[in-house]
Amino acid sequence: MASAEQEALSPSVMAAQSPQSGINGAATAAATENSVAPNTTEPSPVDNLRDTILSPTQSSLHPLPSKPVSQLSSQAATPNMTQSSTPIPPQSQTKPRIVGGFEVDDDEEEEVAQDDRDEADVYDPSVGLDFDAPTPAAPSNPLDRTSQSPEQENGITPAPVQATGSLTDISSSTLPTGGDAPYAAPAPATPAPPQHSPPRSHVNGTVSAGLPKSRLAHDVIGILEDRIKDDPRGDTAAYLELIDELKSRNKQDDIRRIYEQYLSVFPLAAEQWCAYVKWEEEHDRLRAMETLFNRSLLEVLDVQLWTLYINYIRRRNSMQSGDTARAYNIINESFSFALKTIGMDKDSGPLWQEYVTFLKSGPGTVGGTGWQDAAKVDTLREAYQKAIAVPTAATTVLWKEYDSFETGLSKINGRKYLQEKSPVYMTARTAYTQLQNLTRDLRRTSKPRLPPAAGYEGYEEYMRQVHLWKQWIEWEKEDNLVLKDEDLALYRGRILFTYKQSLMALQFWPEMWYDAVEFCFANGLENDGVKLLNQGIAANPESPLLAFKLADRIESSTQNDEGADPGAKERMKKIREPYDRVLDALYELIKKVSTRESLEIQKAEVAAATNGEADGSGEDEINAANVTARKAILDGQIEVIRKSSQAQTDMLSRTISHVWIALMRATRRVQGKGLPGEKGPSGFRTIFGEARKRGKLTSEFYVESARIEWQCYRDPAGTKILDRGMKLFPEDDYLPLQYIKHLFEINDVTNARAVFETTVKRLLAHDDVEYTAKAKPLFAYMHDHESKYGELAQVQSLEERMRKHFPEDEDLKLFSSRYNTPTFNTISVHPVISPTQIQAPQGSVLPSVEMPDAVNSPIQKVIDSIATHSPKRPFPDDFEDVGPRKVARGESPLKGAAGRRMNQQQQQRQINPPAGMPAFPVPPPLPSQITYLLSILPRASTYVDARLDATKMVELIRDIHLPPPSAVAGQHPPPTPVPGSGWPPYPQHPPAQMPPQGFIPPPGAAQAPYGGTPFRYA
């Protein structure tokens, strides 16, 4: 039994497996089962590709449905026409015209008709696709969406027009659920006059459903399940509350289901893994515990979880009875495996202590003479030496135990072992102190949360945590434990371990995943990098950063093979898979925003209606003023909701457009224009067609597509694409500017000026500040171009128009812009004509060409020390002591009244010295010539030939035997000064008396060191 458990929990078989169950999993399974699509049993060719890099759908950690989300969502978004009791014939339906993902109004029929006549001249990737034909069988490649209709690709499904009833009468079965019911042809019915559908937002989506039925107050489980369904990644508290509620009712199957659902969304939540294991242990489900350990241990690096694993192993392999030697070996191997994986954690001190205690209880006696005793000593010594090298809270305690252990065996040998390991211990102890200071404000949690938006509640705190985690990682990279040269694998392992710890708390921060992946790829950890990349994409499917990284990795690791893969189609399937995943997630997110907007508007309307009924007790109280006021309040609330949703949708649309741009560029690199002679659009032009079908594009997509056509192939289709974009985005400011630049580049000046005039006229016709601001970049570019290459009359005409529309701009700035270049402003130059323009200011020194060196002579430093009342000599210039400095002395505690009294007494002593005591003489200042000489002396660092050795100087002075002063006084009279030119003799000053104790010189007086006479320099 024990051997089977040991084999089941060995490191080689501990592969993490993500659960399939849960609410989201059930919904996905239902959608897959109920959806009607041919060839559903045909395996996807992408799954059969054998590539060293795991794609997100191939990852065993986070399995994904084999069917793309877009197909499920597009089918779910198509209402079942059989549900209507009076279906409408096709000719009576008012189907909006879709062009490039945008609806074209009826008044634009002539323009659209003209566009259709120009289709032969305009490159259209969708040429050759019959959109009116029935939908064929699903292609073998799930990434190929050319078989779907334009409406399905756009995500825009026109609302079915009903003959009778209102929107609220639509059956719930016609709304998108997990899957579609089998399609049945509508029965013929009497045509009914079409009714105008309510105004729809430009956001793709179906008819919004009515408000969901409210739960009863006592239906706690249903309320919590609804919260989880509405916000599976944001409302983490709902999971925990639901688990507690189910535990109180002893619904064990439901408890497991919610645990699995929670861990499928948060696979690194160590706290809930531990809670799950403990709950299974409470019910004595040991096999279930083993399964959980196999799934979690190698992925969730948490000390508490590994402690539960050790306790489980010791429980199943008791050393109290049975084969104790075998049980000891199993437990010892489990401890070694756990400490190798989690032992570098700064909180793993208790686990190291428990391991040492376990070794002490093993067979053998410490200090004995048998081989078993010696083996036990060697095992304990090795464990101690490993433990004291890890910075933990138990490092000091383990060092003391190790000291007692070695000295107890042999003082001589013990001292040798202790001296060898003392530097390692000191480094670990210092490192632990640094880590504690560094992570004092860090919250090491495994309950991740979505990052708050910038400017909202919690954003600053979240970014603070991100900064602290990055500081910890940088601390590990600085190699404070001195491991890089001795044990490079351990050095990299500690950094990777810290990255994984940070990802437990910052699971939804893609930048941290990217940093971890980059570190792995840069340090030869390829498998870990690919694994982290797949986990990051599964946790953040909406992140373009991680999708681009994976696609770039696949593209750089594969090559085109025209023999085995003509046109690089198979290679492109693998490369575009990450792009398709992020696109599907972003389109799905737009639908959620649209649905949330509809629900919030309906809630606001219901709330307003309820308040209106509650406020008025009778019809007399309801008057026109009240109705108008309530309607204004409701309109304001709806406007706020729509603006918020519009801002989110615009941001998502721009993101989607740039993902399509990245995919189009990658396809051009791999496939170019496609194989010659291939029917229909091929190569990167296929991406252009697919993107237009799915919609939600911005003007940037059309600009970049046109640039690829022109810059790479000099194809005139680029001009046609920009022209089509001008019709789709008539009030955009970015695309017209790029179109004008392109026309000037191809030397089509006439059309460039025509586009400018047309666009400016359209924008200024709104008579709105917002649209006027959009026209300003166009005016600025045209003014710059005409100033360089146009006529003066055109320039002056443009300036007159700019003064009219932008009166806040300065005329001088507008005029000077004609003659400026990006590197020089001619108008702002004021040349120097006379020397009087460059006279030095009064009271200042004329700036010199040469910068004077700082005065750094030894004598000057002594003078500075005197001026600062310091009796200590300064440090030499070459003093490079990097050791700890003295701590600065704190402020004096004598503050307030006591401090003021002491200051008054000191000032009184300085003004009125005690009677009988002569005033302390102030040393005269040095002559200016001496001061100048001292200032120009070279600094001490320039004396490199001979250095003063203070030790030898002291020894020399000590060993000199001088005669007594009485024998020397009468032998040599003092020299007589020689009259002549030169410096006058320095005046003699009588020796000053020693000031009394406690005397303080007056302010401004420089006191000699140690209270002696003033310094003199001869």
Side-chain angles (χ1 to χ4, degrees):
M1 181 65 181
S3 61
E5 289 138 7
Q6 177 185 357
E7 181 180 359
L9 293 178
S10 61
S12 59
V13 297
M14 282 192 174
Q17 300 174 358
S18 179
Q20 294 281 355
S21 61
I23 293 178
N24 294 338
T28 306
T32 307
E33 179 181 356
N34 297 330
S35 61
V36 179
N39 295 337
T40 55
T41 59
E42 183 179 351
S44 173
V46 178
D47 297 334
N48 297 330
L49 298 176
R50 283 171 173 76
D51 188 49
T52 56
I53 299 177
L54 290 176
S55 63
T57 57
Q58 293 170 335
S59 174
S60 61
L61 296 172
H62 304 284
L64 299 168
S66 59
K67 193 170 185 179
V69 180
S70 62
Q71 295 183 11
L72 296 177
S73 61
S74 62
Q75 293 178 4
T78 305
N80 192 346
M81 302 301 295
T82 60
Q83 301 297 332
S84 177
S85 59
T86 57
I88 301 173
Q91 61 270 18
S92 65
Q93 295 186 2
T94 59
K95 181 177 179 181
R97 181 179 177 85
I98 306 300
V99 177
F102 295 82
E103 297 182 7
V104 179
D105 299 333
D106 297 334
D107 56 356
E108 299 181 0
E109 287 186 2
E110 297 180 1
E111 184 177 1
V112 172
Q114 180 64 30
D115 294 341
D116 294 339
R117 287 193 295 270
D118 296 337
E119 282 295 326
D121 300 329
V122 178
Y123 146 64
D124 189 356
S126 60
V127 173
L129 298 179
D130 187 6
F131 295 138
D132 297 330
T135 303
S140 60
N141 179 13
L143 303 178
D144 187 8
R145 295 176 176 79
T146 56
S147 62
Q148 299 184 9
S149 65
E151 291 79 6
Q152 290 175 333
E153 290 289 351
N154 267 317
I156 301 177
T157 304
V161 181
Q162 298 190 47
T164 59
S166 61
L167 291 176
T168 56
D169 296 332
I170 300 177
S171 174
S172 61
S173 60
T174 63
L175 300 174
T177 58
D180 294 339
Y183 178 80
T190 304
Q195 296 183 356
H196 295 287
S197 60
R200 291 186 300 143
S201 173
H202 70 284
V203 181
N204 298 337
T206 58
V207 177
S208 60
L211 286 175
K213 295 182 180 179
S214 59
R215 300 269 187 177
L216 298 178
H218 65 272
D219 188 6
V220 180
I221 295 178
I223 294 173
L224 293 174
E225 287 181 345
D226 290 342
R227 286 172 54 187
I228 294 173
K229 184 178 180 180
D230 294 338
D231 193 4
R233 283 187 287 177
D235 196 354
T236 56
Y239 291 95
L240 307 182
E241 294 176 12
L242 180 57
I243 291 174
D244 293 338
E245 181 67 22
L246 294 174
K247 285 182 178 179
S248 64
R249 304 186 184 188
N250 197 25
K251 295 185 176 181
Q252 298 185 6
D253 293 337
D254 292 336
I255 292 172
R256 291 192 185 90
R257 176 175 59 84
I258 301 302
Y259 265 128
E260 295 293 342
Q261 182 180 353
Y262 180 88
L263 295 175
S264 65
V265 180
F266 309 100
L268 302 178
E271 298 174 5
Q272 296 312 310
W273 280 108
C274 293
Y276 196 3
V277 170
K278 290 179 181 178
W279 181 77
E280 294 288 6
E281 186 179 15
E282 291 174 0
H283 295 80
D284 291 332
R285 297 186 181 91
L286 302 183
R287 293 297 181 186
M289 293 176 63
E290 291 183 5
T291 303
L292 294 178
F293 284 136
N294 284 328
R295 291 168 51 191
S296 62
L297 282 178
L298 294 180
E299 303 299 330
V300 185
L301 304 181
D302 182 71
V303 175
Q304 182 63 28
L305 181 62
W306 280 88
T307 303
L308 291 175
Y309 163 70
I310 293 297
N311 294 339
Y312 171 79
I313 293 297
R314 299 184 72 171
R315 174 185 176 183
R316 298 299 301 273
N317 299 274
S318 176
M319 295 185 62
Q320 306 299 327
S321 60
D323 191 350
T324 57
R326 189 168 179 276
Y328 175 83
N329 292 331
I330 293 175
I331 298 173
N332 189 18
E333 291 179 359
S334 301
F335 263 117
S336 301
F337 176 49
L339 292 173
K340 182 180 179 181
T341 307
I342 202 70
M344 63 187 71
D345 196 304
K346 74 182 188 68
D347 297 332
S348 62
L351 196 60
W352 282 104
Q353 291 177 307
E354 187 177 354
Y355 179 46
V356 171
T357 304
F358 167 75
L359 293 179
K360 290 180 180 179
S361 64
T365 304
V366 176
T369 57
W371 65 268
Q372 197 172 28
D373 303 329
K376 183 174 184 178
V377 170
D378 294 338
T379 304
L380 278 172
R381 179 179 290 116
E382 182 182 2
Y384 273 124
Q385 292 178 355
K386 289 181 179 179
I388 62 175
V390 181
T392 63
T395 302
T396 303
V397 177
L398 291 170
W399 172 258
K400 293 180 180 178
E401 293 182 6
Y402 180 51
D403 190 346
S404 303
F405 170 77
E406 292 290 0
T407 54
L409 292 174
S410 172
K411 291 186 177 180
I412 298 176
N413 294 334
R415 189 176 297 109
K416 181 190 68 172
Y417 285 119
L418 293 174
Q419 287 179 354
E420 291 176 355
K421 294 300 177 181
S422 179
V424 177
Y425 158 69
M426 295 298 295
T427 302
R429 190 180 68 174
T430 304
Y432 178 74
T433 304
Q434 294 176 358
L435 273 179
Q436 287 295 99
N437 296 331
L438 190 67
T439 60
R440 182 178 293 110
D441 298 329
L442 183 66
R443 293 201 305 266
R444 293 189 64 183
T445 178
S446 61
K447 293 181 181 179
R449 61 168 181 162
L450 293 170
Y456 287 85
E457 178 67 25
Y459 175 75
E460 296 295 336
E461 176 60 25
Y462 191 91
M463 298 307 299
R464 170 67 175 165
Q465 293 299 312
V466 173
H467 177 68
L468 290 175
W469 278 112
K470 289 185 177 180
Q471 278 188 336
W472 188 355
I473 294 171
E474 289 300 322
W475 183 90
E476 292 288 351
K477 290 182 178 179
E478 291 173 0
D479 193 19
N480 290 274
L481 292 174
V482 196
L483 299 172
K484 194 171 185 179
D485 296 332
E486 299 178 0
D487 193 345
L488 184 59
L490 180 58
Y491 167 75
R492 293 174 177 173
R494 284 189 62 89
I495 298 176
L496 181 58
F497 176 83
T498 310
Y499 269 120
K500 291 182 178 180
Q501 292 295 308
S502 66
L503 293 174
M504 294 171 66
L506 305 176
Q507 178 182 345
F508 302 117
W509 190 250
E511 286 83 350
M512 189 61 71
W513 289 96
Y514 177 84
D515 292 342
V517 170
E518 280 294 305
F519 170 79
C520 292
F521 288 156
N523 290 273
L525 306 174
E526 300 292 331
N527 295 333
D528 293 315
V530 174
K531 188 176 182 180
L532 286 174
L533 189 54
N534 284 285
Q535 290 178 348
I537 292 177
N540 303 274
E542 304 89 0
S543 171
L545 172 64
L546 300 177
F548 293 165
K549 181 61 182 177
L550 180 58
D552 181 74
R553 184 73 179 174
I554 297 174
E555 183 179 353
S556 61
S557 61
T558 56
Q559 298 294 332
N560 286 352
D561 187 359
E562 294 298 333
D565 184 16
K569 294 183 179 180
E570 294 300 325
R571 181 190 177 202
M572 194 60 217
K573 289 179 183 178
K574 295 185 289 184
I575 293 174
R576 69 170 294 172
E577 186 177 351
Y579 294 105
D580 288 322
R581 277 208 61 198
V582 69
L583 284 172
D584 293 339
L586 290 173
Y587 277 112
E588 188 67 24
L589 193 56
I590 283 186
K591 293 181 181 179
K592 290 181 180 179
V593 172
S594 176
T595 304
R596 191 182 304 117
E597 176 189 1
S598 302
L599 291 178
E600 290 179 357
I601 290 176
Q602 293 180 18
K603 288 180 181 179
E605 293 174 348
V606 171
T610 305
N611 293 336
E613 296 175 358
D615 293 342
S617 57
E619 295 181 357
D620 297 337
E621 298 183 8
I622 302 178
N623 51 40
N626 292 338
V627 172
T628 304
R630 291 169 185 167
K631 187 176 183 303
I633 295 174
L634 177 60
D635 292 343
Q637 295 176 352
I638 293 176
E639 184 67 18
V640 171
I641 294 173
R642 285 177 176 171
K643 285 184 177 180
S644 176
S645 300
Q646 181 65 37
Q648 298 180 42
T649 304
D650 291 343
M651 185 270 294
L652 291 173
S653 298
R654 297 194 67 179
T655 307
I656 287 173
S657 299
H658 284 77
V659 174
W660 280 115
I661 291 171
L663 176 57
M664 186 164 49
R665 291 170 177 169
T667 308
R668 186 206 61 80
R669 291 192 299 266
V670 176
Q671 292 182 316
K673 280 187 173 182
L675 294 175
E678 195 171 3
K679 294 183 179 180
S682 59
F684 76 95
R685 291 178 172 178
T686 308
I687 307 302
F688 182 83
E690 292 183 15
R692 291 183 61 197
K693 293 175 187 176
R694 299 194 70 178
K696 293 305 172 189
L697 302 176
T698 59
S699 58
E700 291 94 339
F701 175 77
Y702 286 84
V703 171
E704 296 302 323
S705 177
R707 283 178 177 172
I708 292 176
E709 292 282 359
W710 178 252
Q711 298 294 339
C712 297
Y713 304 104
R714 295 296 172 181
D715 197 314
T719 306
K720 301 293 183 179
I721 292 174
L722 289 173
D723 185 66
R724 175 59 61 87
M726 287 290 296
K727 298 173 183 177
L728 296 175
F729 305 95
E731 296 178 351
D732 190 73
D733 57 339
Y734 176 74
L735 190 144
L737 180 59
Q738 304 302 320
Y739 191 16
I740 294 171
K741 291 181 180 180
H742 173 74
L743 291 175
F744 277 127
E745 184 179 357
I746 64 176
N747 202 24
D748 192 354
V749 181
T750 303
N751 283 330
R753 291 195 175 112
V755 171
F756 168 74
E757 294 295 340
T758 304
T759 306
V760 167
K761 182 179 179 180
R762 184 185 299 115
L763 292 176
L764 297 179
H766 289 276
D767 195 15
D768 188 3
V769 177
E770 179 182 357
Y771 289 93
T772 304
K774 288 183 177 181
K776 191 171 185 178
L778 298 174
F779 274 105
Y781 177 77
M782 284 300 297
H783 180 267
D784 179 70
H785 185 272
E786 297 293 350
S787 300
K788 296 176 181 177
Y789 315 111
E791 300 296 334
L792 181 60
Q794 296 173 340
V795 176
Q796 293 175 346
S797 176
L798 271 176
E799 289 181 353
E800 187 63 29
R801 296 171 64 184
M802 294 175 71
R803 292 189 189 97
K804 176 183 177 181
H805 297 296
F806 312 108
E808 67 278 0
D809 293 347
E810 299 179 3
D811 291 344
L812 177 60
K813 183 178 179 181
L814 181 61
F815 179 78
S816 62
S817 62
R818 298 191 205 171
Y819 309 98
N820 296 339
T821 60
T823 59
F824 188 71
N825 186 357
T826 312
I827 306 301
S828 63
V829 173
H830 300 282
V832 178
I833 302 174
S834 171
T836 58
Q837 297 178 257
I838 54 174
Q839 290 183 356
Q842 296 294 333
S844 64
V845 181
L846 184 66
S848 175
V849 177
E850 297 181 358
M851 295 300 296
D853 294 336
V855 177
N856 200 18
S857 65
I859 301 178
Q860 183 64 30
K861 290 185 176 182
V862 174
I863 296 175
D864 295 339
S865 66
I866 298 172
T868 56
H869 304 282
S870 175
K872 298 182 179 180
R873 60 181 176 85
F875 285 112
D877 292 333
D878 56 351
F879 188 78
E880 298 180 354
D881 185 11
V882 294
R885 316 297 320 149
K886 291 185 178 179
V887 180
R889 184 177 299 173
E891 295 183 357
S892 173
L894 294 178
K895 294 183 178 180
R900 287 193 296 270
R901 283 196 300 269
M902 178 173 292
N903 292 335
Q904 290 176 1
Q905 293 175 4
Q906 292 178 355
Q907 294 175 2
Q908 190 67 24
R909 289 198 191 101
Q910 294 176 4
I911 298 173
N912 300 322
M917 295 297 297
F920 188 76
V922 179
L926 294 174
S928 59
Q929 296 83 353
I930 299 298
T931 305
Y932 174 73
L933 175 62
L934 296 177
S935 66
I936 65 175
L937 288 177
R939 61 184 64 183
S941 59
T942 59
Y943 295 100
V944 296
D945 295 334
R947 293 265 182 166
L948 175 63
D949 192 340
T951 304
K952 293 183 179 180
M953 177 62 71
V954 172
E955 293 177 354
L956 177 63
I957 296 174
R958 183 189 60 190
D959 297 337
I960 291 177
H961 299 282
L962 297 177
S966 58
V968 182
Q971 295 181 4
H972 301 284
T976 304
V978 180
S981 61
W983 295 103
Y986 194 76
Q988 299 292 329
H989 295 276
Q993 299 180 1
M994 184 66 64
Q997 185 176 3
F999 174 77
I1000 299 177
Q1007 183 182 0
Y1010 310 107
T1013 58
F1015 282 100
R1016 297 180 180 179
Y1017 303 94

